[in-house]
Amino acid sequence: MAASGAGAFSSDEALAFLTELAEETPERRAATLERLFQSVKDRPEEVGHDILPDQVVAASVIVAATALGGDQFDERLQALAMDDPAVDARLPPLAGDLAGAALKALDSVTDRWIQERAEDADTVEAIQTIAALSQVLAYVSVMEDLDAIWNDACDYGADGEAPEGTPVGIQHLASLLRIHGSVMGGGLAFAVEVNEPFRVKRAVEALHYFGLAAAAELLEDTLGRSLKGQDSESWPTDDGFNGLIDGDVLDSAFQAKAREVPADFGRE
């Protein structure tokens, strides 16, 4: 096998790394990979010396193989394991929380990894290997960020206020999720009853912010009827509101806005 081929596992160093990792239990491998990625961040001057780019690339592939869209990497690892069980260093499913760290470490070693293959005829293929790997890790990393943002917004919505300095997009999401949770738990009438008018108004603003104008107008109409003392039987129906924001609608609107203006969500 070539010492520095275009594939992620086409070097002696990469295979040696797989063999060492395979000796650990599957549950401990993630911690080992995390330490490797952290070492790249903490000691960049050692990349190419004590920290080998081939090891980092191989480690990144192991993470990508567990992620959505990483089938090609999983298949490669499976093929290697079938040929030699001693290099079966696969992770348990759902190791995606390593994707962000893997991507940053990969970025730090990519130039050196490709330069080491500059004299090979497969340099273009090596670049393609890194591009495909980066694409998978970047997608998973973004989804990790969005999940963390969503969870924080849920907590802030439950608390009633976001901490000072919280990015505007997360504030809007928290306001919306508070009312949305109330509606899901007891319906529109319940949501208006248990939330002060200013909180409902914040949710209306948030719906407009996320581009859900129809839901915003319906919620605003409901609040207006409530403030006028109109009987709840005259209010818009729960089904009408739920139909506008149920399913993946709210999540999709959030993801679209976070990609459009990442700074509003504390993302670069």
Side-chain angles (χ1 to χ4, degrees):
M1 184 171 290
S4 57
F9 304 112
S10 57
S11 72
D12 297 334
E13 291 82 1
L15 289 176
F17 175 75
L18 282 182
T19 302
E20 292 178 8
L21 191 63
E23 293 175 354
E24 301 186 15
T25 63
E27 292 73 22
R28 296 184 59 182
R29 291 170 191 161
T32 298
L33 296 178
E34 185 174 15
R35 287 194 297 272
L36 174 61
F37 299 143
Q38 187 64 39
S39 69
V40 176
K41 178 181 178 180
D42 294 341
R43 305 192 305 277
E45 71 281 358
E46 295 184 12
V47 172
H49 303 287
D50 290 342
I51 302 172
L52 301 179
D54 286 49
Q55 295 177 338
V56 177
V57 172
S60 300
V61 169
I62 293 171
V63 174
T66 70
L68 182 66
D71 293 350
Q72 60 176 306
F73 303 112
D74 185 42
E75 291 170 1
R76 179 59 178 144
L77 284 171
Q78 288 184 45
L80 285 172
M82 289 182 64
D83 289 341
D84 184 0
V87 299
D88 188 359
R90 287 174 290 177
L91 292 174
L94 304 178
D97 56 346
L98 287 171
L103 181 61
K104 291 178 181 178
L106 182 66
D107 288 343
S108 298
V109 306
T110 290
D111 288 345
R112 184 183 290 270
W113 189 81
I114 293 176
Q115 286 171 6
E116 291 175 352
R117 289 148 176 80
E119 297 181 0
D120 294 344
D122 293 329
T123 301
V124 172
E125 185 180 345
I127 294 173
Q128 293 172 341
T129 295
I130 294 296
L133 179 54
S134 297
Q135 184 177 25
V136 172
L137 293 174
Y139 175 78
V140 177
S141 181
V142 167
M143 296 310 296
E144 288 174 7
D145 288 346
L146 295 183
D147 285 344
I149 290 170
W150 183 279
N151 291 335
D152 284 345
C154 284
D155 291 340
Y156 300 154
D159 292 342
E161 293 294 335
E164 184 176 353
T166 298
V168 63
I170 301 179
Q171 292 185 45
H172 279 309
L173 183 60
S175 297
L176 177 51
L177 288 177
R178 180 183 179 90
I179 301 304
H180 180 263
S182 297
V183 173
M184 296 299 103
L188 271 173
F190 174 76
V192 172
E193 178 183 351
V194 300
N195 290 284
E196 300 94 325
F198 79 88
R199 297 193 188 280
V200 181
K201 291 178 181 178
R202 285 181 180 175
V204 171
E205 293 174 1
L207 286 166
H208 280 297
Y209 172 81
F210 287 108
L212 301 173
E217 292 170 2
L218 189 150
L219 183 59
E220 187 172 29
D221 180 39
T222 301
L223 176 61
R225 291 173 184 272
S226 172
L227 294 175
K228 293 176 182 178
Q230 295 182 9
D231 191 282
S232 60
E233 292 184 359
S234 70
W235 297 3
T237 65
D238 293 345
D239 289 343
F241 185 74
N242 293 343
L244 294 173
I245 61 172
D246 252 7
D248 296 328
V249 173
L250 182 54
D251 186 48
S252 297
F254 155 61
Q255 291 187 30
K257 196 69 175 182
R259 289 186 172 90
E260 177 187 349
V261 281
D264 279 9
F265 297 86
R267 301 174 63 237
E268 297 180 359

